[in-house]
Amino acid sequence: MSTQVKFVQGNEACVEAALYAGLDFFAGYPITPSTEIAELLSRRLPMAGGKFIQMEDELASICAIIGASLTGHKVMTATSGPGFSLMQEALGYAIMAEIPCVIVDVQRGGPSTGIPTHGSQGDIMQARWGTHGDHAIIALTASNHQDVFAMTIEAFNMAETYRTPVILLFDEIVGHMREKLVLPEPGEMPLVERLRTSVQGGVNYHPYLPREDGRLPMSDFGGVHRYNVTGLYHDMWGFPSADPGVAHGLIRHLVDKIENRTNQLARYKEYFLEDAEIVMVSYGSAARSALHVVKNRRNRGERLGLLELQTLWPFPRDIVREKCAQAEAVLVVELNMGQVMQEVKKALDHPEKVFLANRIDGVFITPTDIRKILRLIQGKGV
Amino acid sequence: MALKDYLRQRFFPHMWCPGCGHGTVLNSLLRAVEQLGLSKNEIVMASGIGCSSRISGYVDFHTLHTLHGRALAFATGVKLSQPELNVIVPMGDGDALAIGGNHFIHACRRNIDITAIVMNNRIYGMTGGQFSPMSGVGINATTAPFQNIDRDFDVVKMATAAGATFVARSTTYHAQQAADLIKQAILHEGFSVVEILSQCPTHFGRKNKQGAAADMMERYKDITVPVGSKKKAENPDLIERGIFVQEEAPEYCREYDKIIAKAMKG
Ligand SMILES: Cc1ncc(C[n+]2csc(CCOP(=O)(O)OP(=O)(O)O)c2C)c(N)n1
Ligand code: SF4
């Protein structure tokens, strides 16, 4: 078998990975810079016997994929900031009702319509706290197409494993940039399939009763088990309940199933961290420039390193803490006003050693931009 | 199967006020399902939020109690992903036509094989009696203390204009007819809308001096006539009951199957 190499946009890498992971239902509404995902899937899904539907808006899109997930399908929607804002109520529903689904947000500048055709990483906190109420969320990102592929597969796997929505937070730059993508052979990357209940028809099935390992086997709508799904606080049957004990147990379960696995869910890459005096922490497209600077400086003997985050939520605080422990300075590189920097500060014993290199003007952060901040940190003046 | 076999006993007592019309709609719906001999496993009921939407909890089908206004969007995902399922969506008038109005017209337009039942009590029951898009001018509501100036619209006309291929109306007074219309709506291949006037004595009735539940139902008898009746010509204020639209048109899921066949041929 010959390995297939493609030269594609990041959005297409996401599509390839979603299909590889077994996506067979997509609902969406066009929005720059994510539209290519919908366009490609409108062709590719029916070719593989799957289904694509263009809904009337993003509210409907996320609701439709939740409905399709319940009948046993692997589902996804894709959008950008304004659409992601519209999806927040239903995102909370998927969290509450524990429905596996993948939501791609190819970030552009905001708030509001902002700057549709330019990159940003401004939705990090919206992914975390956009929907109301206490909850936990998984959000992944990537800086290059091979990693877009890998993280998309991870997103589907985590969604199925933990019965939860997973957000893929890409950015316009990665989404639209073209580069090489090596497609893995079928079977090469592990896929998690839906865990279905082994309870026979006619026997009580509890859709919200976790097994010993914490997982909740599902039963497809249309199958032998009829049960209720609701966004209200509910018991193990899925029946609404106002019992304080049930409510407490439910919210703890929803949060703990993710937050207690923070280290297990952490995906990251590290470059030259062993002896780094200055550690950069970055992710998505910004990490490309950060890596460029780190490599250059290493050639000149300067002890710089890079921690590239791929899991943004739950925030991998132990890992950040460990990797930055020896650093004299930590420089967070991102395309927003410090959304991840605040998390890094919270994770470290010495938040005063954390600095920010950023851009919020829709322009991609360059190595030169980062070098300017480095000079300041290193006391070399402007 | 007896009607009670379609109910989830654990869910009772129900949350509706005494005299609420929504229980009568539930009864008509179950009669329809029973008469059609449908298996409980092949029915998915999706609903939004409201007193009416609580219907989904009480029935022993696959039930999806969702978000205010969004039930049809969820239902579209269920139906398109698994077209052999029968998908029924009970909705309140606010749920269907205010917050969910956009989903409503687009579901009509797509002609996807879903049965929508609009339980029209002309008020927001669950939140305590605010006016809805169906209340109409001159109605009293908690958010219209000086009487409502918001004009209402006609569900039947709107569903028809938006492309629904089965459109009907009845009332809780005419529960037999309602059951029969729901039955035909389920059988119809395409998007069907059945509007059922359903009394909310607690809020609409009290605020608008329409008396108790029984009086409100009697009123449905007085203010409605069968479709095409001569009385309507004489008195345009009368509301027609019956089937307004029943036509065959390409159904969305079937059309999508053709897309798959086309795409697979390459
Ligand atoms: C997004 C959102 N907005 C508002 C509400 C509050 N709310 C719940 S039910 C309802 C109206 C219910 O009226 P209707 O749909 O006519 O159904 P009824 O209760 O009269 O049967 C409203 C406004 C909500 N649950 N969600
Ligand atoms: S408030 Fe009105 S609609 Fe709600 S249950 Fe009571 S009578 Fe029915």
Side-chain angles (χ1 to χ4, degrees), chain A residues 51-52 56 64 71 73 93 222 225-230 239, chain B residues 10-11 41 60 62-65 74 77 80-82 103 110 256:
Chain A
K51 303 211 168 137
F52 165 93
E56 51 273 20
T71 65
H73 297 268
Y93 183 87
H225 299 293
R226 298 177 302 277
Y227 57 96
N228 188 51
V229 178
T230 179
F239 288 171
Chain B
R10 299 190 69 235
F11 243 103
N41 279 345
D60 189 19
H62 303 280
T63 56
L64 184 54
H65 178 242
F74 284 88
L80 180 60
S81 65
Q82 220 61 39
H103 307 308
R110 267 184 212 109
Y256 201 87

PDB file of all heavy atoms in Angstrom, chain A residues 51-52 56 64 71 73 93 222 225-230 239, chain B residues 10-11 41 60 62-65 74 77 80-82 103 110 256:
ATOM      1  N   LYS A  51     -24.294  11.513   5.431  1.00  0.00           N
ATOM      2  CA  LYS A  51     -25.266  12.572   5.158  1.00  0.00           C
ATOM      3  C   LYS A  51     -24.739  13.947   5.538  1.00  0.00           C
ATOM      4  O   LYS A  51     -24.090  14.125   6.565  1.00  0.00           O
ATOM      5  CB  LYS A  51     -26.555  12.276   5.927  1.00  0.00           C
ATOM      6  CG  LYS A  51     -27.069  10.906   5.528  1.00  0.00           C
ATOM      7  CD  LYS A  51     -28.539  10.756   5.580  1.00  0.00           C
ATOM      8  CE  LYS A  51     -28.948   9.470   4.882  1.00  0.00           C
ATOM      9  NZ  LYS A  51     -29.960   8.729   5.616  1.00  0.00           N
ATOM     10  N   PHE A  52     -25.080  14.902   4.681  1.00  0.00           N
ATOM     11  CA  PHE A  52     -24.736  16.309   4.897  1.00  0.00           C
ATOM     12  C   PHE A  52     -26.018  17.109   4.815  1.00  0.00           C
ATOM     13  O   PHE A  52     -26.830  16.896   3.920  1.00  0.00           O
ATOM     14  CB  PHE A  52     -23.772  16.777   3.791  1.00  0.00           C
ATOM     15  CG  PHE A  52     -23.648  18.278   3.712  1.00  0.00           C
ATOM     16  CD1 PHE A  52     -22.638  18.936   4.393  1.00  0.00           C
ATOM     17  CD2 PHE A  52     -24.544  19.040   2.963  1.00  0.00           C
ATOM     18  CE1 PHE A  52     -22.533  20.321   4.344  1.00  0.00           C
ATOM     19  CE2 PHE A  52     -24.457  20.425   2.911  1.00  0.00           C
ATOM     20  CZ  PHE A  52     -23.446  21.063   3.599  1.00  0.00           C
ATOM     21  N   GLU A  56     -30.650  26.011   8.582  1.00  0.00           N
ATOM     22  CA  GLU A  56     -31.038  27.416   8.423  1.00  0.00           C
ATOM     23  C   GLU A  56     -30.163  28.351   9.251  1.00  0.00           C
ATOM     24  O   GLU A  56     -30.166  29.562   9.026  1.00  0.00           O
ATOM     25  CB  GLU A  56     -32.519  27.618   8.771  1.00  0.00           C
ATOM     26  CG  GLU A  56     -32.956  27.045  10.111  1.00  0.00           C
ATOM     27  CD  GLU A  56     -33.376  25.577  10.032  1.00  0.00           C
ATOM     28  OE1 GLU A  56     -32.983  24.905   9.064  1.00  0.00           O
ATOM     29  OE2 GLU A  56     -34.089  25.110  10.935  1.00  0.00           O
ATOM     30  N   ALA A  64     -29.151  19.641  15.142  1.00  0.00           N
ATOM     31  CA  ALA A  64     -29.309  18.516  14.213  1.00  0.00           C
ATOM     32  C   ALA A  64     -28.244  17.449  14.461  1.00  0.00           C
ATOM     33  O   ALA A  64     -28.542  16.250  14.445  1.00  0.00           O
ATOM     34  CB  ALA A  64     -29.253  18.994  12.767  1.00  0.00           C
ATOM     35  N   THR A  71     -29.026   8.738  17.279  1.00  0.00           N
ATOM     36  CA  THR A  71     -29.409   7.543  16.526  1.00  0.00           C
ATOM     37  C   THR A  71     -28.193   6.674  16.240  1.00  0.00           C
ATOM     38  O   THR A  71     -28.284   5.680  15.529  1.00  0.00           O
ATOM     39  CB  THR A  71     -30.125   7.884  15.199  1.00  0.00           C
ATOM     40  OG1 THR A  71     -29.192   8.573  14.346  1.00  0.00           O
ATOM     41  CG2 THR A  71     -31.342   8.757  15.409  1.00  0.00           C
ATOM     42  N   HIS A  73     -24.837   7.856  15.244  1.00  0.00           N
ATOM     43  CA  HIS A  73     -23.890   8.285  14.227  1.00  0.00           C
ATOM     44  C   HIS A  73     -22.762   9.137  14.802  1.00  0.00           C
ATOM     45  O   HIS A  73     -22.920   9.754  15.842  1.00  0.00           O
ATOM     46  CB  HIS A  73     -24.632   9.057  13.134  1.00  0.00           C
ATOM     47  CG  HIS A  73     -25.633   8.202  12.419  1.00  0.00           C
ATOM     48  ND1 HIS A  73     -25.324   7.505  11.279  1.00  0.00           N
ATOM     49  CD2 HIS A  73     -26.909   7.882  12.728  1.00  0.00           C
ATOM     50  CE1 HIS A  73     -26.385   6.804  10.890  1.00  0.00           C
ATOM     51  NE2 HIS A  73     -27.358   7.017  11.761  1.00  0.00           N
ATOM     52  N   TYR A  93     -26.423  21.832  26.184  1.00  0.00           N
ATOM     53  CA  TYR A  93     -27.349  20.693  26.140  1.00  0.00           C
ATOM     54  C   TYR A  93     -26.579  19.388  25.921  1.00  0.00           C
ATOM     55  O   TYR A  93     -26.814  18.384  26.594  1.00  0.00           O
ATOM     56  CB  TYR A  93     -28.382  20.892  25.025  1.00  0.00           C
ATOM     57  CG  TYR A  93     -29.412  19.792  24.979  1.00  0.00           C
ATOM     58  CD1 TYR A  93     -30.566  19.866  25.750  1.00  0.00           C
ATOM     59  CD2 TYR A  93     -29.218  18.663  24.198  1.00  0.00           C
ATOM     60  CE1 TYR A  93     -31.504  18.840  25.741  1.00  0.00           C
ATOM     61  CE2 TYR A  93     -30.143  17.629  24.180  1.00  0.00           C
ATOM     62  CZ  TYR A  93     -31.286  17.720  24.949  1.00  0.00           C
ATOM     63  OH  TYR A  93     -32.209  16.703  24.944  1.00  0.00           O
ATOM     64  N   GLY A 222     -34.282   4.427  18.450  1.00  0.00           N
ATOM     65  CA  GLY A 222     -34.795   3.497  17.442  1.00  0.00           C
ATOM     66  C   GLY A 222     -34.497   2.059  17.833  1.00  0.00           C
ATOM     67  O   GLY A 222     -35.049   1.125  17.254  1.00  0.00           O
ATOM     68  N   HIS A 225     -34.134  -0.059  23.553  1.00  0.00           N
ATOM     69  CA  HIS A 225     -34.325   0.655  24.819  1.00  0.00           C
ATOM     70  C   HIS A 225     -34.895   2.040  24.563  1.00  0.00           C
ATOM     71  O   HIS A 225     -34.324   2.821  23.824  1.00  0.00           O
ATOM     72  CB  HIS A 225     -32.993   0.799  25.558  1.00  0.00           C
ATOM     73  CG  HIS A 225     -32.369  -0.518  25.900  1.00  0.00           C
ATOM     74  ND1 HIS A 225     -32.930  -1.384  26.798  1.00  0.00           N
ATOM     75  CD2 HIS A 225     -31.243  -1.127  25.435  1.00  0.00           C
ATOM     76  CE1 HIS A 225     -32.166  -2.464  26.892  1.00  0.00           C
ATOM     77  NE2 HIS A 225     -31.147  -2.341  26.067  1.00  0.00           N
ATOM     78  N   ARG A 226     -36.025   2.315  25.196  1.00  0.00           N
ATOM     79  CA  ARG A 226     -36.607   3.650  25.075  1.00  0.00           C
ATOM     80  C   ARG A 226     -36.309   4.411  26.353  1.00  0.00           C
ATOM     81  O   ARG A 226     -36.566   3.914  27.445  1.00  0.00           O
ATOM     82  CB  ARG A 226     -38.124   3.555  24.859  1.00  0.00           C
ATOM     83  CG  ARG A 226     -38.505   2.837  23.575  1.00  0.00           C
ATOM     84  CD  ARG A 226     -40.012   2.717  23.452  1.00  0.00           C
ATOM     85  NE  ARG A 226     -40.607   2.014  24.567  1.00  0.00           N
ATOM     86  CZ  ARG A 226     -40.678   0.694  24.654  1.00  0.00           C
ATOM     87  NH1 ARG A 226     -40.215  -0.063  23.678  1.00  0.00           N
ATOM     88  NH2 ARG A 226     -41.223   0.130  25.723  1.00  0.00           N
ATOM     89  N   TYR A 227     -35.743   5.585  26.191  1.00  0.00           N
ATOM     90  CA  TYR A 227     -35.419   6.363  27.387  1.00  0.00           C
ATOM     91  C   TYR A 227     -35.584   7.840  27.081  1.00  0.00           C
ATOM     92  O   TYR A 227     -35.808   8.230  25.932  1.00  0.00           O
ATOM     93  CB  TYR A 227     -33.998   6.049  27.884  1.00  0.00           C
ATOM     94  CG  TYR A 227     -32.908   6.277  26.864  1.00  0.00           C
ATOM     95  CD1 TYR A 227     -32.189   7.473  26.841  1.00  0.00           C
ATOM     96  CD2 TYR A 227     -32.598   5.304  25.914  1.00  0.00           C
ATOM     97  CE1 TYR A 227     -31.192   7.689  25.908  1.00  0.00           C
ATOM     98  CE2 TYR A 227     -31.604   5.516  24.974  1.00  0.00           C
ATOM     99  CZ  TYR A 227     -30.900   6.711  24.975  1.00  0.00           C
ATOM    100  OH  TYR A 227     -29.925   6.924  24.034  1.00  0.00           O
ATOM    101  N   ASN A 228     -35.449   8.649  28.119  1.00  0.00           N
ATOM    102  CA  ASN A 228     -35.677  10.086  27.968  1.00  0.00           C
ATOM    103  C   ASN A 228     -34.347  10.826  28.011  1.00  0.00           C
ATOM    104  O   ASN A 228     -33.484  10.529  28.832  1.00  0.00           O
ATOM    105  CB  ASN A 228     -36.590  10.578  29.097  1.00  0.00           C
ATOM    106  CG  ASN A 228     -37.033  12.011  28.903  1.00  0.00           C
ATOM    107  OD1 ASN A 228     -37.530  12.372  27.833  1.00  0.00           O
ATOM    108  ND2 ASN A 228     -36.838  12.853  29.904  1.00  0.00           N
ATOM    109  N   VAL A 229     -34.205  11.796  27.114  1.00  0.00           N
ATOM    110  CA  VAL A 229     -33.020  12.650  27.106  1.00  0.00           C
ATOM    111  C   VAL A 229     -33.498  14.071  27.361  1.00  0.00           C
ATOM    112  O   VAL A 229     -34.441  14.536  26.716  1.00  0.00           O
ATOM    113  CB  VAL A 229     -32.309  12.572  25.734  1.00  0.00           C
ATOM    114  CG1 VAL A 229     -31.108  13.498  25.696  1.00  0.00           C
ATOM    115  CG2 VAL A 229     -31.881  11.137  25.433  1.00  0.00           C
ATOM    116  N   THR A 230     -32.883  14.748  28.279  1.00  0.00           N
ATOM    117  CA  THR A 230     -33.343  16.097  28.619  1.00  0.00           C
ATOM    118  C   THR A 230     -32.179  16.981  29.042  1.00  0.00           C
ATOM    119  O   THR A 230     -31.138  16.484  29.475  1.00  0.00           O
ATOM    120  CB  THR A 230     -34.398  16.048  29.758  1.00  0.00           C
ATOM    121  OG1 THR A 230     -34.795  17.384  30.077  1.00  0.00           O
ATOM    122  CG2 THR A 230     -33.859  15.402  31.021  1.00  0.00           C
ATOM    123  N   PHE A 239     -34.784  10.893  33.661  1.00  0.00           N
ATOM    124  CA  PHE A 239     -36.011  11.576  34.061  1.00  0.00           C
ATOM    125  C   PHE A 239     -35.665  12.840  34.830  1.00  0.00           C
ATOM    126  O   PHE A 239     -34.770  12.827  35.668  1.00  0.00           O
ATOM    127  CB  PHE A 239     -36.873  10.667  34.939  1.00  0.00           C
ATOM    128  CG  PHE A 239     -37.531   9.542  34.180  1.00  0.00           C
ATOM    129  CD1 PHE A 239     -38.184   8.536  34.854  1.00  0.00           C
ATOM    130  CD2 PHE A 239     -37.487   9.493  32.795  1.00  0.00           C
ATOM    131  CE1 PHE A 239     -38.785   7.484  34.152  1.00  0.00           C
ATOM    132  CE2 PHE A 239     -38.085   8.463  32.089  1.00  0.00           C
ATOM    133  CZ  PHE A 239     -38.735   7.450  32.774  1.00  0.00           C
TER     134      PHE A 239
ATOM    135  N   ARG B  10     -43.968   5.944  35.683  1.00  0.00           N
ATOM    136  CA  ARG B  10     -43.055   6.571  36.638  1.00  0.00           C
ATOM    137  C   ARG B  10     -43.104   8.102  36.564  1.00  0.00           C
ATOM    138  O   ARG B  10     -42.696   8.788  37.473  1.00  0.00           O
ATOM    139  CB  ARG B  10     -41.599   6.189  36.336  1.00  0.00           C
ATOM    140  CG  ARG B  10     -41.282   4.739  36.417  1.00  0.00           C
ATOM    141  CD  ARG B  10     -39.776   4.529  36.347  1.00  0.00           C
ATOM    142  NE  ARG B  10     -39.122   5.024  37.541  1.00  0.00           N
ATOM    143  CZ  ARG B  10     -38.133   5.902  37.534  1.00  0.00           C
ATOM    144  NH1 ARG B  10     -37.699   6.398  36.419  1.00  0.00           N
ATOM    145  NH2 ARG B  10     -37.580   6.278  38.665  1.00  0.00           N
ATOM    146  N   PHE B  11     -43.518   8.599  35.413  1.00  0.00           N
ATOM    147  CA  PHE B  11     -43.482  10.039  35.185  1.00  0.00           C
ATOM    148  C   PHE B  11     -44.681  10.763  35.783  1.00  0.00           C
ATOM    149  O   PHE B  11     -44.746  11.983  35.809  1.00  0.00           O
ATOM    150  CB  PHE B  11     -43.429  10.316  33.687  1.00  0.00           C
ATOM    151  CG  PHE B  11     -42.182  11.010  33.247  1.00  0.00           C
ATOM    152  CD1 PHE B  11     -41.166  10.323  32.621  1.00  0.00           C
ATOM    153  CD2 PHE B  11     -42.031  12.379  33.468  1.00  0.00           C
ATOM    154  CE1 PHE B  11     -40.018  10.973  32.210  1.00  0.00           C
ATOM    155  CE2 PHE B  11     -40.890  13.022  33.065  1.00  0.00           C
ATOM    156  CZ  PHE B  11     -39.874  12.325  32.430  1.00  0.00           C
ATOM    157  N   ASN B  41     -40.994   1.322  19.646  1.00  0.00           N
ATOM    158  CA  ASN B  41     -39.573   1.450  19.318  1.00  0.00           C
ATOM    159  C   ASN B  41     -39.318   2.250  18.052  1.00  0.00           C
ATOM    160  O   ASN B  41     -38.198   2.671  17.793  1.00  0.00           O
ATOM    161  CB  ASN B  41     -38.940   0.063  19.148  1.00  0.00           C
ATOM    162  CG  ASN B  41     -38.603  -0.544  20.489  1.00  0.00           C
ATOM    163  OD1 ASN B  41     -38.583   0.165  21.501  1.00  0.00           O
ATOM    164  ND2 ASN B  41     -38.342  -1.833  20.501  1.00  0.00           N
ATOM    165  N   ASP B  60     -43.990   6.568  26.336  1.00  0.00           N
ATOM    166  CA  ASP B  60     -42.958   5.534  26.355  1.00  0.00           C
ATOM    167  C   ASP B  60     -42.379   5.306  24.949  1.00  0.00           C
ATOM    168  O   ASP B  60     -42.410   4.202  24.425  1.00  0.00           O
ATOM    169  CB  ASP B  60     -43.559   4.244  26.922  1.00  0.00           C
ATOM    170  CG  ASP B  60     -42.493   3.195  27.173  1.00  0.00           C
ATOM    171  OD1 ASP B  60     -41.302   3.564  27.251  1.00  0.00           O
ATOM    172  OD2 ASP B  60     -42.845   2.003  27.270  1.00  0.00           O
ATOM    173  N   HIS B  62     -38.954   6.775  22.260  1.00  0.00           N
ATOM    174  CA  HIS B  62     -37.627   7.381  22.406  1.00  0.00           C
ATOM    175  C   HIS B  62     -37.886   8.874  22.514  1.00  0.00           C
ATOM    176  O   HIS B  62     -38.432   9.469  21.576  1.00  0.00           O
ATOM    177  CB  HIS B  62     -36.756   7.100  21.187  1.00  0.00           C
ATOM    178  CG  HIS B  62     -36.599   5.633  20.906  1.00  0.00           C
ATOM    179  ND1 HIS B  62     -35.713   4.835  21.595  1.00  0.00           N
ATOM    180  CD2 HIS B  62     -37.216   4.825  20.024  1.00  0.00           C
ATOM    181  CE1 HIS B  62     -35.787   3.595  21.147  1.00  0.00           C
ATOM    182  NE2 HIS B  62     -36.694   3.556  20.187  1.00  0.00           N
ATOM    183  N   THR B  63     -37.530   9.476  23.624  1.00  0.00           N
ATOM    184  CA  THR B  63     -37.956  10.867  23.811  1.00  0.00           C
ATOM    185  C   THR B  63     -36.791  11.822  24.035  1.00  0.00           C
ATOM    186  O   THR B  63     -35.854  11.525  24.769  1.00  0.00           O
ATOM    187  CB  THR B  63     -38.955  10.979  24.975  1.00  0.00           C
ATOM    188  OG1 THR B  63     -38.364  10.428  26.154  1.00  0.00           O
ATOM    189  CG2 THR B  63     -40.245  10.250  24.654  1.00  0.00           C
ATOM    190  N   LEU B  64     -36.910  12.953  23.377  1.00  0.00           N
ATOM    191  CA  LEU B  64     -35.835  13.939  23.360  1.00  0.00           C
ATOM    192  C   LEU B  64     -36.433  15.293  23.736  1.00  0.00           C
ATOM    193  O   LEU B  64     -37.102  15.937  22.930  1.00  0.00           O
ATOM    194  CB  LEU B  64     -35.256  13.960  21.936  1.00  0.00           C
ATOM    195  CG  LEU B  64     -34.054  14.818  21.599  1.00  0.00           C
ATOM    196  CD1 LEU B  64     -32.898  14.538  22.528  1.00  0.00           C
ATOM    197  CD2 LEU B  64     -33.626  14.548  20.155  1.00  0.00           C
ATOM    198  N   HIS B  65     -36.202  15.671  24.981  1.00  0.00           N
ATOM    199  CA  HIS B  65     -36.739  16.930  25.512  1.00  0.00           C
ATOM    200  C   HIS B  65     -35.612  17.938  25.380  1.00  0.00           C
ATOM    201  O   HIS B  65     -34.591  17.812  26.054  1.00  0.00           O
ATOM    202  CB  HIS B  65     -37.156  16.687  26.966  1.00  0.00           C
ATOM    203  CG  HIS B  65     -37.684  17.886  27.677  1.00  0.00           C
ATOM    204  ND1 HIS B  65     -37.081  18.410  28.786  1.00  0.00           N
ATOM    205  CD2 HIS B  65     -38.769  18.666  27.441  1.00  0.00           C
ATOM    206  CE1 HIS B  65     -37.778  19.455  29.213  1.00  0.00           C
ATOM    207  NE2 HIS B  65     -38.800  19.634  28.412  1.00  0.00           N
ATOM    208  N   PHE B  74     -33.468  19.486  16.172  1.00  0.00           N
ATOM    209  CA  PHE B  74     -33.040  18.180  16.694  1.00  0.00           C
ATOM    210  C   PHE B  74     -33.723  17.066  15.906  1.00  0.00           C
ATOM    211  O   PHE B  74     -33.108  16.086  15.505  1.00  0.00           O
ATOM    212  CB  PHE B  74     -33.412  18.035  18.175  1.00  0.00           C
ATOM    213  CG  PHE B  74     -32.534  18.793  19.145  1.00  0.00           C
ATOM    214  CD1 PHE B  74     -32.802  20.111  19.485  1.00  0.00           C
ATOM    215  CD2 PHE B  74     -31.447  18.175  19.747  1.00  0.00           C
ATOM    216  CE1 PHE B  74     -32.015  20.807  20.405  1.00  0.00           C
ATOM    217  CE2 PHE B  74     -30.649  18.857  20.667  1.00  0.00           C
ATOM    218  CZ  PHE B  74     -30.932  20.173  20.998  1.00  0.00           C
ATOM    219  N   GLY B  77     -32.255  16.228  12.593  1.00  0.00           N
ATOM    220  CA  GLY B  77     -31.062  15.382  12.705  1.00  0.00           C
ATOM    221  C   GLY B  77     -31.417  13.926  12.938  1.00  0.00           C
ATOM    222  O   GLY B  77     -30.834  13.021  12.343  1.00  0.00           O
ATOM    223  N   LEU B  80     -33.201  12.620   9.463  1.00  0.00           N
ATOM    224  CA  LEU B  80     -32.322  12.441   8.309  1.00  0.00           C
ATOM    225  C   LEU B  80     -31.298  11.341   8.574  1.00  0.00           C
ATOM    226  O   LEU B  80     -30.937  10.595   7.664  1.00  0.00           O
ATOM    227  CB  LEU B  80     -31.619  13.768   7.963  1.00  0.00           C
ATOM    228  CG  LEU B  80     -30.664  13.704   6.768  1.00  0.00           C
ATOM    229  CD1 LEU B  80     -31.387  13.293   5.485  1.00  0.00           C
ATOM    230  CD2 LEU B  80     -29.967  15.051   6.555  1.00  0.00           C
ATOM    231  N   SER B  81     -30.846  11.210   9.815  1.00  0.00           N
ATOM    232  CA  SER B  81     -29.833  10.188  10.098  1.00  0.00           C
ATOM    233  C   SER B  81     -30.452   8.796  10.157  1.00  0.00           C
ATOM    234  O   SER B  81     -29.770   7.803   9.940  1.00  0.00           O
ATOM    235  CB  SER B  81     -29.105  10.503  11.410  1.00  0.00           C
ATOM    236  OG  SER B  81     -29.979  10.421  12.511  1.00  0.00           O
ATOM    237  N   GLN B  82     -31.746   8.712  10.444  1.00  0.00           N
ATOM    238  CA  GLN B  82     -32.403   7.397  10.584  1.00  0.00           C
ATOM    239  C   GLN B  82     -33.826   7.501  10.051  1.00  0.00           C
ATOM    240  O   GLN B  82     -34.805   7.482  10.793  1.00  0.00           O
ATOM    241  CB  GLN B  82     -32.405   7.020  12.073  1.00  0.00           C
ATOM    242  CG  GLN B  82     -32.123   5.572  12.394  1.00  0.00           C
ATOM    243  CD  GLN B  82     -30.771   5.100  11.924  1.00  0.00           C
ATOM    244  OE1 GLN B  82     -29.787   5.819  12.001  1.00  0.00           O
ATOM    245  NE2 GLN B  82     -30.733   3.891  11.400  1.00  0.00           N
ATOM    246  N   HIS B 103     -36.927  27.758  12.479  1.00  0.00           N
ATOM    247  CA  HIS B 103     -36.820  26.311  12.249  1.00  0.00           C
ATOM    248  C   HIS B 103     -38.127  25.775  11.675  1.00  0.00           C
ATOM    249  O   HIS B 103     -38.123  24.885  10.833  1.00  0.00           O
ATOM    250  CB  HIS B 103     -36.479  25.586  13.548  1.00  0.00           C
ATOM    251  CG  HIS B 103     -35.271  26.145  14.236  1.00  0.00           C
ATOM    252  ND1 HIS B 103     -34.069  26.316  13.575  1.00  0.00           N
ATOM    253  CD2 HIS B 103     -35.076  26.586  15.498  1.00  0.00           C
ATOM    254  CE1 HIS B 103     -33.187  26.839  14.430  1.00  0.00           C
ATOM    255  NE2 HIS B 103     -33.770  27.013  15.594  1.00  0.00           N
ATOM    256  N   ARG B 110     -38.388  22.271   3.661  1.00  0.00           N
ATOM    257  CA  ARG B 110     -37.642  21.060   3.276  1.00  0.00           C
ATOM    258  C   ARG B 110     -38.552  19.884   2.977  1.00  0.00           C
ATOM    259  O   ARG B 110     -38.162  18.931   2.331  1.00  0.00           O
ATOM    260  CB  ARG B 110     -36.732  20.638   4.430  1.00  0.00           C
ATOM    261  CG  ARG B 110     -35.361  21.182   4.330  1.00  0.00           C
ATOM    262  CD  ARG B 110     -34.453  20.674   5.433  1.00  0.00           C
ATOM    263  NE  ARG B 110     -33.522  21.735   5.710  1.00  0.00           N
ATOM    264  CZ  ARG B 110     -33.512  22.481   6.804  1.00  0.00           C
ATOM    265  NH1 ARG B 110     -34.336  22.227   7.790  1.00  0.00           N
ATOM    266  NH2 ARG B 110     -32.667  23.457   6.920  1.00  0.00           N
ATOM    267  N   TYR B 256     -32.530  12.774  -0.463  1.00  0.00           N
ATOM    268  CA  TYR B 256     -31.116  12.641  -0.092  1.00  0.00           C
ATOM    269  C   TYR B 256     -30.573  11.267  -0.475  1.00  0.00           C
ATOM    270  O   TYR B 256     -29.417  11.138  -0.868  1.00  0.00           O
ATOM    271  CB  TYR B 256     -30.881  12.933   1.399  1.00  0.00           C
ATOM    272  CG  TYR B 256     -29.422  13.282   1.625  1.00  0.00           C
ATOM    273  CD1 TYR B 256     -28.977  14.595   1.476  1.00  0.00           C
ATOM    274  CD2 TYR B 256     -28.476  12.284   1.865  1.00  0.00           C
ATOM    275  CE1 TYR B 256     -27.635  14.909   1.591  1.00  0.00           C
ATOM    276  CE2 TYR B 256     -27.126  12.591   1.982  1.00  0.00           C
ATOM    277  CZ  TYR B 256     -26.720  13.907   1.846  1.00  0.00           C
ATOM    278  OH  TYR B 256     -25.380  14.215   1.937  1.00  0.00           O
TER     279      TYR B 256
END
